[in-house]
């Protein structure tokens, strides 16, 4: 047999052996992986109570951590509702501490973050964001992922010191979103319930007022809130 031909035959045989070893290693690795239990992440959620100024971290439905927080003032209340974490940043901006976790609030930019004013924790002090001590927000940051559910509960007006608010074109917040939801359910509002009192919302309010014999102001006053069942 020609030497070159013999070399080719030998090389092919080696390739065949190497391929068989590779396939065997893959099979063994698959068998070993099958013997270990699958790793799953705990079902993580955040619950925020604006009345008590507390943030709770839940894993699989159980509270594992509770933190003191600072929340919005009566003029700049924190958002209420069910949101998700949509962004995470380290040292996002001056004054926001070492960590930032943005919430999916449709009417503005709000987040859970640290602070350079640790003395403000525990009060109604922010422009709507949730403030935490830096060392605690860093701990929380490691537990949450993009998409983590965040439930914020609190006074209907956003502040325990405010009985009700007059809503007008340009108003924003959870109360506006609640009005939009009620008007939509009643067939008056066809837009997106995004917590932004725009012209479409104003027109829906006026249609509702006309049908219910209320003054045509295009505003939501205490009387409209009573009619809509938002307050009693």
């Amino acid at each position: 047999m020609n030497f070159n031909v013999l070399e080719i035959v030998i090389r092919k045989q080696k390739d065949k052996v190497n391929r068989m070893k590779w396939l065997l290693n893959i099979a063994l690795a698959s068998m070993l992986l099958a013997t270990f239990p699958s790793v799953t992440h705990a079902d993580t959620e955040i619950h925020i109570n604006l009345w008590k100024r507390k943030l709770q971290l839940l894993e699989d439905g159980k509270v594992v951590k509770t933190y003191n927080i600072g929340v919005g003032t009566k003029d700049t209340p924190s958002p209420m509702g069910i949101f998700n974490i949509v962004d995470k940043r380290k040292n996002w901006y001056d004054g926001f501490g070492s960590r930032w976790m943005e919430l999916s609030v449709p009417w503005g930019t709000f987040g859970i973050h640290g602070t350079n004013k640790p003395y403000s924790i525990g009060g109604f002090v922010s422009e709507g964001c949730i403030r935490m001590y830096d060392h605690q927000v860093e701990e929380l940051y490691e537990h949450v992922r993009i998409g983590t559910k965040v439930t914020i509960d609190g006074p209907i007006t956003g502040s325990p010191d405010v009985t009700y608010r007059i809503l007008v074109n340009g108003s924003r917040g959870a109360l506006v979103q609640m009005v939009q939801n009620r008007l939509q359910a009643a067939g008056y509002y066809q837009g997106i319930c995004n917590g932004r009192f725009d012209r479409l919302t104003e027109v829906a309010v006026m249609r509702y007022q006309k049908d219910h014999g209320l003054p045509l102001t295009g505003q939501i006053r205490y009387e409209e809130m009573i009619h809509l069942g938002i307050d009693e």
Side-chain angles (χ1 to χ4, degrees):
M1 180 180 292
N2 184 283
F3 178 77
N4 291 332
V5 174
L6 180 60
E7 185 180 13
I8 291 172
V9 171
I10 293 173
R11 188 182 297 122
K12 285 183 177 181
Q13 288 296 110
K14 286 183 177 180
D15 290 342
K16 186 176 180 180
V17 170
N18 289 335
R19 180 172 176 77
M20 291 299 295
K21 287 182 178 179
W22 179 77
L23 290 173
L24 182 60
N25 287 334
I26 292 294
L28 288 172
S30 299
M31 291 174 63
L32 286 172
L33 286 173
T35 64
F36 291 96
S38 60
V39 178
T40 59
H41 293 286
D43 186 10
T44 303
E45 293 184 27
I46 292 173
H47 287 185
I48 294 172
N49 187 313
L50 300 180
W51 284 291
K52 297 181 179 179
R53 278 88 72 202
K54 299 285 187 182
L55 182 152
Q56 293 181 323
L57 174 67
L58 286 76
E59 291 184 354
D60 296 327
K62 297 180 180 180
V63 177
V64 295
K65 287 283 184 178
T66 300
Y67 304 100
N68 293 322
I69 56 175
V71 301
T73 69
K74 67 178 181 180
D75 295 321
T76 57
S78 295
M80 288 183 294
I82 299 174
F83 311 107
N84 298 97
I85 300 292
V86 294
D87 192 17
K88 293 176 63 182
R89 301 288 179 93
K90 295 182 179 180
N91 303 309
W92 181 62
Y93 196 73
D94 289 343
F96 289 83
S98 58
R99 298 292 185 273
W100 164 264
M101 289 165 278
E102 186 172 340
L103 304 174
S104 59
V105 180
W107 59 85
T109 301
F110 298 89
I112 302 169
H113 62 80
T115 181
N116 59 358
K117 300 176 181 178
Y119 53 83
S120 67
I121 301 301
F124 297 91
V125 292
S126 76
E127 293 187 9
C129 286
I130 308 301
R131 291 184 187 177
M132 298 180 65
Y133 293 113
D134 270 358
H135 70 280
Q136 293 183 343
V137 79
E138 288 171 9
E139 181 179 73
L140 180 68
Y141 187 93
E142 297 303 321
H143 284 272
V144 303
R145 303 186 298 276
I146 301 297
T148 295
K149 180 181 175 182
V150 179
T151 301
I152 305 180
D153 191 18
I156 189 173
T157 59
S159 170
D161 297 328
V162 178
T163 305
Y164 71 93
R165 296 180 186 275
I166 296 177
L167 304 178
V168 300
N169 196 329
S171 295
R172 297 185 180 191
L175 192 53
V176 174
Q177 189 176 49
M178 191 177 297
V179 167
Q180 290 172 328
N181 281 323
R182 296 297 175 90
L183 290 172
Q184 190 177 76
Y188 290 92
Y189 181 63
Q190 306 301 322
I192 299 173
C193 298
N194 56 10
R196 300 173 183 264
F197 199 126
D198 54 12
R199 177 58 181 166
L200 195 60
T201 305
E202 186 177 43
V203 169
V205 170
M206 294 183 71
R207 287 177 54 212
Y208 182 87
Q209 290 171 332
K210 181 179 179 180
D211 287 352
H212 291 80
L214 300 169
L216 299 178
T217 63
Q219 302 175 357
I220 294 293
R221 302 159 301 147
Y222 187 66
E223 189 173 3
E224 280 78 19
M225 286 198 283
I226 294 292
H227 268 267
L228 289 167
I230 295 173
D231 206 342
E232 299 179 355

